[in-house]
Amino acid sequence: MGFALLYEQLLADDPALDRPGGHVLACVLCGEEPDDELALRCGSCDGAIDAVHDMSRAHPVAGADPLESYFGLLPVRDRAHLTWLGEGDTPCFRSERFGPLVGLSNLYLKNEAANPTSSTKDRIASVGLSRFSELGVKRFVMASTGNSSTAYARGVQAVGGMEMALFCGDRFLHRLNYPDHPSVRTYAVRGDFVSTGEVARRFAARTGARAEGGFFNLARREGLKLAYLEAFDQMPRRPEYVFQAVSSGMGLVGAYKGALEYRHLGRLEDLPRFVAVQQSSCAPMAHAFAEGSPVIADRHIVRDPGGPAEAILRGDPTRTYPYVRQVCLDSGGRITAADNDDVREIRALLLRTEGLNVCHAAATALAAAVRMRHEGTLAPDSTVLVNLTGADRAGRPAPTRYHRVDADWPDGPIDWDQDPDTEASEAEGDRTCAP
């Protein structure tokens, strides 16, 4: 049996199904409901767990606070636990200058750089902390290349009552933008993104803290889908194509689920074609997709990824690629790559024409849309939505105290508050972060 996502089947289940608090949890591959509300993966098939909402209770309304506006489509049962961090209600507009210049007369841009940390990942922190609050999580551990960690650290410092341990590859330290705070412990790992994630998982297991989960934390995907629900409500017509740059691809999977929910509610007549985009120097998903491979093989993995879009430098997306691939296939879309030089040129052109100074990851998605138009695979009058996921954070405060650890740390028992028997580092002044 091949890999298949059951979102449509789960949505179509009997509406009388008991959904306490407005939703149940279910595996998107086999449909099994977990016993643990904080489960990340299915105990039977290892598939991703997601929230299946009671659509009769979903009544989206316009408003500045997306947690209130889309509450019926969120994995939080009690509004008292909502932790809104000020993100959302970002601009979505038809490009009057850049679009016609590149041959796309119906190009719509969703500017997520307008969020507090200049990143769509603020939505992850709001929904993630809301759900953690409801489920009693006080300490959690995560790995990140900068955007998610910055958003979470800002949120933890703002709301109080929680602590987080952040693990970041030392090459991405310059992308962290939050001040030192006792509620946030920062660890710089001498290793790549994959080994950094392994260090974080070991630390969580040995301290008993909750692993945040990354792609497999359903609150992340549910938070990121809100950018798309907003865009669908803001646009005068349904997008025929949606473009987003991907690392793990959680934003695109969340967008797909949101589109299915909106179609179920009658707010979309049909799904857009979802296009996942990587940069040419780090495109394991795009290469596997072009070959028709259902999985990431060893030949697709990029061992030492590089490129201008640092936020999406994931050389080994083995665990998440099947989900992204299926979303693109089911919607009639694709996974593709944009040339690194094109990414830089498109970023500069967008700044000159629309005054938007976005990050290279956002420009990667836009560059792919322009290339497909030039190739003739995108009609000039196609209604296209591009999610501009972030912008640079120059001049923002950065952590100055952190611990450097090796990729095999911890190699024995450790307590949450125990300092590693390795180098403690302190840096002076602010650093610049480019999402």
Side-chain angles (χ1 to χ4, degrees):
M1 183 176 177
F3 189 96
L5 298 175
L6 300 184
Y7 281 117
E8 291 190 77
Q9 178 181 320
L10 292 169
L11 275 173
D13 277 345
D14 183 356
L17 183 69
D18 182 25
R19 292 174 178 170
H23 69 269
V24 295
L25 303 183
C27 173
V28 302
L29 301 186
C30 73
E32 182 170 308
E33 297 180 18
D35 295 327
D36 182 2
E37 280 278 302
L38 282 163
L40 298 175
R41 310 284 283 270
C42 175
S44 295
C45 74
D46 206 36
I49 302 297
D50 219 324
V52 184
H53 302 287
D54 181 349
M55 303 305 285
S56 68
R57 301 190 190 187
H59 304 292
V61 294
D65 178 352
L67 303 191
E68 288 289 350
S69 297
Y70 302 100
F71 178 73
L73 294 172
L74 291 179
V76 181
R77 304 188 192 283
D78 186 345
R79 278 186 164 86
H81 293 286
L82 292 181
T83 304
W84 182 44
L85 300 173
E87 81 294 338
D89 196 27
T90 56
C92 183
F93 61 95
R94 184 178 177 181
S95 174
E96 300 289 351
R97 292 176 288 277
F98 179 92
L101 189 63
V102 298
L104 291 169
S105 59
N106 287 311
L107 172 66
Y108 289 80
L109 304 176
K110 178 68 168 167
N111 184 19
E112 288 287 273
N115 284 315
T117 71
S118 300
S119 170
T120 193
K121 300 298 179 63
D122 287 324
R123 299 179 184 273
I124 284 176
S126 275
V127 178
L129 293 178
S130 296
R131 192 160 188 267
F132 279 166
S133 172
E134 183 166 80
L135 297 177
V137 174
K138 298 299 183 184
R139 285 176 169 172
F140 66 94
V141 182
M142 66 177 297
S144 169
T145 58
N147 288 341
S148 299
S149 51
T150 294
Y152 263 121
R154 171 181 173 269
V156 166
Q157 293 180 20
V159 303
M162 285 190 199
E163 295 178 90
M164 65 178 282
L166 164 69
F167 291 82
C168 177
D170 53 9
R171 68 175 291 185
F172 297 111
L173 269 173
H174 67 285
R175 304 190 68 251
L176 302 181
N177 286 113
Y178 51 85
D180 295 317
H181 193 275
S183 64
V184 181
R185 295 174 65 84
T186 306
Y187 297 85
V189 179
R190 297 183 182 94
D192 60 15
F193 183 85
V194 174
S195 60
T196 298
E198 293 299 327
V199 173
R201 280 187 283 275
R202 282 197 300 272
F203 182 83
R206 295 179 186 185
T207 60
R210 174 61 55 178
E212 191 272 343
F215 174 97
F216 290 96
N217 177 352
L218 67 93
R220 280 187 172 231
R221 302 189 302 272
E222 291 282 81
L224 293 174
K225 84 177 181 185
L226 297 181
Y228 287 94
L229 299 187
E230 285 182 2
F232 298 154
D233 288 337
Q234 292 166 320
M235 294 176 65
R237 67 189 81 186
R238 173 188 70 89
E240 297 170 84
Y241 291 85
V242 164
F243 286 77
Q244 181 171 328
V246 298
S247 171
S248 71
M250 58 188 167
L252 205 73
V253 176
Y256 173 73
K257 178 175 183 278
L260 287 171
E261 290 168 341
Y262 256 33
R263 186 174 68 176
H264 190 91
L265 291 171
R267 298 173 78 104
L268 280 181
E269 60 270 28
D270 206 353
L271 299 183
R273 299 173 184 263
F274 288 95
V275 182
V277 189
Q278 301 190 296
Q279 59 196 317
S280 57
S281 58
C282 182
M285 288 195 193
H287 292 154
F289 188 85
E291 291 179 10
S293 175
V295 296
I296 295 291
D298 187 70
R299 65 182 178 278
H300 303 131
I301 295 172
V302 181
R303 304 295 175 188
D304 186 22
E310 290 186 301
I312 55 173
L313 285 178
R314 184 186 297 261
D316 184 1
T318 298
R319 296 192 302 164
T320 66
Y321 166 73
Y323 295 87
V324 179
R325 176 179 182 268
Q326 204 60 45
V327 163
C328 294
L329 289 175
D330 289 348
S331 67
R334 65 172 69 178
I335 306 176
T336 189
D339 182 80
N340 287 10
D341 289 337
D342 290 345
V343 169
R344 297 182 180 95
E345 291 176 10
I346 288 298
R347 182 172 182 254
L349 181 60
L350 184 67
L351 177 60
R352 290 199 302 272
T353 56
E354 300 287 0
L356 295 180
N357 190 12
V358 301
C359 65
H360 286 93
T364 298
L366 194 56
V370 173
R371 194 202 73 224
M372 284 178 58
R373 171 67 201 102
H374 291 168
E375 292 173 347
T377 52
L378 201 59
D381 59 349
S382 295
T383 303
V384 177
L385 170 63
V386 177
N387 188 359
L388 302 176
T389 49
D392 289 354
R393 289 191 293 267
R396 303 283 185 99
T400 61
R401 294 188 295 274
Y402 49 87
H403 295 284
R404 289 190 183 276
V405 299
D406 293 325
D408 60 356
W409 186 86
D411 56 3
I414 189 168
D415 295 326
W416 177 271
D417 294 316
Q418 178 182 338
D419 288 337
D421 187 20
T422 56
E423 175 188 353
S425 299
E426 189 158 342
E428 296 297 330
D430 289 355
R431 287 173 290 183
T432 298
C433 168

